[in-house]
Amino acid sequence: MKKLPLLLLIFVSLFSFSCESNDTKPEEKINDDYKLLSVTSEGKIFEIGNNSGKTTNIGQIKNSANLIMLSTICNVGSKIYSFESTYVPHPNILIIYDKLTGTTTTKQIVFPASLNMYDALISNLEYNGSELVAIVSENHASENLPNKIISINIENYQTTDLGISFTQSSLTSTELINNKLYVSTRVDGLLEIDLIEKTVKELQASGKTISATRLAKIDNTKLGLMQLGVPQLVNGVKPFEFNLSNNLLSDKYSENTYALGNTTGGTISYNNEYLNLVFGMDSKFGILKINYENNSIKFVELDKSTFGGNAILVDVIK
């Protein structure tokens, strides 16, 4: 057998190494501009990179039933307020999670006698300055029993009847803008409740009822929402932007359909982006980011087994 010259062996080795090196590309690092705070119906709290999707479990809202109502989760500064599921034996216990200490405390909420309700529970919660604004509903469904609105002082937890009632049912989410409480429902339309004038009116788009969830303030005149009622898709939704000044729905991305693990609860917006946790048509779970100003839409995939599907976004961590 002939021996190859030494220089030829070196050349062949270098060529082989060079080819192998070119096939191996370093992983591209994805930088996050900010992080998102998410809460699940089991009370787990996650921090999520807005671009990388990197997820870290940073806390747990402790509660006796291990099930809280997504529609009552309310992020206020260093606190997260919520209520346990309606299935627990002692409803209307306000759960207060401190993000700084990681501790959970509770307060029993006592309703004003003027509500005169049979089996009342708090179904939705929003923050308004120094107080929480809560919708109080009957625990058993009935179209004849009205919802009431109260305020809860976050210093002493005393409640005040705001003297507002409405009969719409199947409430899904809420948002507060300039003393107006916007309430989405599954079948009874989008409501605007003026907390000062104590009026309730339905907002329609071209004379049509809006069935929606995941309300979020884009700015003082615009709401992001997920419209319900996508055919042949369980909890199917389409994203829209609703202009409060002229009652117009922006349908730029109405051809995009998604699904929610739970149709109750709100979400957030940041830098004009409407942000949601959704399932895509391919069953992938992740962050949906829509900017109606520059006509962009992005999806960041997450591990759905981490969240269990029943989760909402509550805050941005800069």
Side-chain angles (χ1 to χ4, degrees), residues 107-270:
K107 293 288 182 181
Q108 178 69 58
I109 298 302
V110 179
F111 294 134
S114 58
L115 293 189
N116 192 29
M117 300 177 76
Y118 172 70
D119 188 16
L121 63 89
I122 290 177
S123 60
N124 301 78
L125 200 62
E126 285 293 332
Y127 177 64
N128 189 23
S130 62
E131 61 186 16
L132 299 172
V133 174
I135 297 177
V136 185
S137 305
E138 289 286 2
N139 198 10
H140 51 287
S142 173
E143 295 181 0
N144 299 321
L145 298 174
N147 306 286
K148 307 288 182 69
I149 300 181
I150 65 170
S151 64
I152 304 172
N153 187 302
I154 56 176
E155 296 297 329
N156 57 24
Y157 304 102
Q158 296 297 307
T159 59
T160 303
D161 182 356
L162 297 185
I164 304 170
S165 65
F166 59 99
T167 57
Q168 285 82 355
S169 60
S170 57
L171 314 183
T172 55
S173 67
T174 52
E175 180 62 284
L176 192 84
I177 303 176
N178 295 332
N179 285 310
K180 290 182 179 180
L181 182 66
Y182 294 91
V183 182
S184 62
T185 74
R186 177 172 279 278
V187 294
D188 288 336
L190 176 65
L191 308 179
E192 181 184 80
I193 301 174
D194 193 314
L195 300 179
I196 304 300
E197 300 298 328
K198 304 185 186 304
T199 57
V200 180
K201 69 177 181 180
E202 181 186 350
L203 302 178
Q204 295 186 334
S206 301
K208 295 182 179 179
T209 294
I210 303 170
S211 299
T213 187
R214 297 293 190 269
L215 295 184
K217 173 186 173 182
I218 306 297
D219 59 36
N220 284 336
T221 62
K222 294 173 185 175
L223 277 174
L225 59 84
M226 284 290 187
Q227 192 167 44
L228 295 161
V230 176
Q232 300 177 337
L233 189 61
V234 178
N235 292 342
V237 291
K238 291 183 179 182
F240 285 88
E241 183 181 69
F242 185 69
N243 192 315
L244 297 168
S245 61
N246 56 19
N247 288 5
L248 288 180
L249 274 177
S250 171
D251 59 356
K252 293 176 185 176
Y253 298 105
S254 61
E255 73 279 3
N256 298 73
T257 57
Y258 304 92
L260 302 175
N262 189 313
T263 58
T264 64
T267 190
I268 61 174
S269 71
Y270 182 67

Side-chain angles (χ1 to χ4, degrees), residues 277-312:
L277 294 179
V278 300
F279 289 92
M281 291 299 290
D282 53 5
S283 296
K284 290 181 179 179
F285 179 75
I287 308 166
L288 179 66
K289 302 188 285 187
I290 299 178
N291 190 315
Y292 287 95
E293 298 300 316
N294 61 20
N295 297 325
S296 68
I297 182 167
K298 298 176 184 177
F299 182 82
V300 179
E301 187 177 357
L302 303 174
D303 182 1
K304 60 184 174 184
S305 65
T306 301
F307 297 86
N310 291 336
I312 59 172

